[in-house]
Amino acid sequence: MKNILEGKTKKLIAQGADEILMVFKDDVTADENGFNPGANKVGFKMDGIGLENLKLSTFFFEKLNATGIKTHFLKSDFDERTMHVRKANLFGNGVEVICRFAADGSFVRRYGQYARKGDLLPAFVEMSLKDDLRNDPMISKDALIAFDIMSDSDYDTLVMLTRQICLVIKNECAKHNLQLIDIKLEFGRDPHTNEIMLIDEISTGSMRVYREGESVEPFELTQTLLSD
Amino acid sequence: MKNILEGKTKKLIAQGADEILMVFKDDVTADENGFNPGANKVGFKMDGIGLENLKLSTFFFEKLNATGIKTHFLKSDFDERTMHVRKANLFGNGVEVICRFAADGSFVRRYGQYARKGDLLPAFVEMSLKDDLRNDPMISKDALIAFDIMSDSDYDTLVMLTRQICLVIKNECAKHNLQLIDIKLEFGRDPHTNEIMLIDEISTGSMRVYREGESVEPFELTQTLLSD
């Protein structure tokens, strides 16, 4: 990896051989209808959302680490708006793992013959390639194996870990009367042990949350989830 | 099913409770670049191609039936441009099973990060929903199961049958120095025995074939494959 990588919502800076500093930006992804965590390009700046997302990510990573789920999280510095994380090897050029508790967004656009918006789904997992140029295409297990991006058992491990992690997040939402609709996660491997670990962030930029059928906006979401 | 169903390239007419008459039309699917078996709408008429496709389908169905693979084929009447087939229950509203021996078309558009046009693939199988409105979206095994379109073992059976069938077709192509790039099949169930069988057609409208790197057009393809 280069020393500095500029992402859509974060800047990544290498810190020695094994660590990365993630700087959380105030940019959010959006589509033609406004803020959309599933969108593929930066839409606009939202002053202060970087720090909020850092706090929310930190909250979830600490919770997950405490339950024994391996993540890349080391520590956060809210003053600097940074998170220190373990360096990870990606699956291919990056794979997004999506977990759905209710049908919405692209899932309904694709499968409207069989699913209506709001239909409950049992922690349904699907994967897409990180590929902005091709709009993050969905990819099957067989294709991931054919391209040598992961093995059959890696895929099953990712599905199992995703369900474990997303249930923790769903339960946190439920405590505040919020419904987690869908969320995307990213995983990598520890370069030394080869263990699979959760990477990237867990924030308003990666989940769709409703309260009584209405989408909850980023600031309201972090403030609600981080309140006692 | 209604008594008469008008498809893009065939008309289906119910014949009693258990049989359907498929009338092969001269319409071919196309996109903005001309004839494309993967396209989703009728592009233009090609005089006489209906009969050619009926002949080619008959040739392959007879060959497959002879090897013990169950298909819906009963008999063809070339004068009437019709094929008599067993009525079948679809998987959901119809699922297309695609088998790829080389990367091309939508596969390269989706997975260009990992596959270049012409890369050999080992009888790679993927499935899409028949849904013109949503452009036949690709669908994973897990989603097919979640929507109750098929079971886990149905999926595995379809993959296995598809590979068997497509190897027969690939070998026929190879006899004439033609390279089968990709092909789509459709399956259904015998309403009486519940057995899975190959349905629809196997014709120039469902396969992409190259000779020395160049696409082979429909008439040339049927005439080559049906020559001794």
Side-chain angles (χ1 to χ4, degrees), chain A residues 14-27:
Chain A
Q15 302 273 289
D18 292 332
E19 212 178 299
I20 289 172
L21 199 63
M22 303 200 309
V23 187
F24 281 64
K25 304 198 284 188
D26 282 345
D27 295 318

Side-chain angles (χ1 to χ4, degrees), chain A residues 160-209:
Chain A
M160 190 197 63
L161 283 172
T162 297
R163 291 199 170 125
Q164 280 179 12
I165 292 164
C166 295
L167 276 177
V168 169
I169 299 167
K170 181 178 192 273
N171 289 339
E172 279 304 313
C173 289
K175 278 186 197 170
H176 299 277
N177 209 18
L178 299 173
Q179 187 192 7
L180 179 61
I181 304 292
D182 51 47
I183 176 167
K184 60 182 181 211
L185 303 179
E186 199 179 342
F187 293 88
R189 288 181 192 284
D190 185 313
H192 298 293
T193 66
N194 220 26
E195 263 182 298
I196 291 176
M197 59 185 176
L198 182 65
I199 64 170
D200 200 43
E201 60 184 302
I202 307 171
S203 73
T204 64
S206 49
M207 59 178 97
R208 181 183 273 126
V209 175

Side-chain angles (χ1 to χ4, degrees), chain A residues 91-94 107-115 124-125 129-131 134 137-140 142-143 146-147 149 155, chain B residues 91-94 107-115 124-125 129-131 134 137-140 142-143 146-147 149 155:
Chain A
F91 289 93
N93 301 323
F107 190 81
V108 175
R109 286 196 296 278
R110 277 179 273 138
Y111 302 136
Q113 250 187 353
Y114 299 96
F124 178 79
V125 174
L129 294 177
K130 280 179 84 100
D131 186 348
R134 295 175 185 85
M138 303 308 303
I139 186 161
S140 70
D142 288 343
F147 292 139
I149 296 171
Y155 186 95
Chain B
F91 288 94
N93 301 321
F107 190 82
V108 175
R109 286 196 296 278
R110 277 179 274 141
Y111 303 135
Q113 249 187 353
Y114 299 95
F124 178 79
V125 174
L129 293 178
K130 280 181 84 99
D131 186 349
R134 296 174 184 85
M138 303 308 301
I139 186 161
S140 70
D142 287 343
F147 293 139
I149 295 172
Y155 186 95

Side-chain angles (χ1 to χ4, degrees), chain B residues 122-190:
Chain B
F124 178 79
V125 174
E126 55 185 357
M127 303 197 191
S128 65
L129 293 178
K130 280 181 84 99
D131 186 349
D132 287 344
L133 200 67
R134 296 174 184 85
N135 229 346
D136 292 353
M138 303 308 301
I139 186 161
S140 70
K141 181 183 192 177
D142 287 343
L144 288 163
I145 295 169
F147 293 139
D148 226 358
I149 295 172
M150 63 182 68
S151 70
D152 193 297
S153 76
D154 287 339
Y155 186 95
D156 294 342
T157 301
L158 290 189
V159 170
M160 189 198 65
L161 282 172
T162 297
R163 291 200 169 123
Q164 281 179 12
I165 292 164
C166 294
L167 276 176
V168 169
I169 299 167
K170 181 177 192 274
N171 289 339
E172 279 304 312
C173 289
K175 280 186 197 168
H176 299 278
N177 209 18
L178 300 173
Q179 187 192 8
L180 178 62
I181 304 292
D182 51 47
I183 175 166
K184 60 182 182 215
L185 303 180
E186 198 179 342
F187 293 88
R189 286 183 193 284
D190 185 312

Side-chain angles (χ1 to χ4, degrees), chain B residues 66-134:
Chain B
T67 69
I69 290 169
K70 183 157 171 131
T71 79
H72 71 160
F73 176 78
L74 294 169
K75 66 176 180 192
S76 289
D77 182 332
F78 294 158
D79 291 334
E80 301 283 336
R81 263 195 348 195
T82 57
M83 184 184 282
H84 295 251
V85 300
R86 282 186 193 83
K87 203 165 161 177
N89 292 331
L90 299 182
F91 288 94
N93 301 321
V95 171
E96 281 184 341
V97 186
I98 301 146
C99 185
R100 300 179 181 277
F101 295 98
D104 209 308
S106 74
F107 190 82
V108 175
R109 286 196 296 278
R110 277 179 274 141
Y111 303 135
Q113 249 187 353
Y114 299 95
R116 273 175 308 184
K117 182 172 162 152
D119 284 356
L120 294 183
L121 297 169
F124 178 79
V125 174
E126 55 185 357
M127 303 197 191
S128 65
L129 293 178
K130 280 181 84 99
D131 186 349
D132 287 344
L133 200 67
R134 296 174 184 85

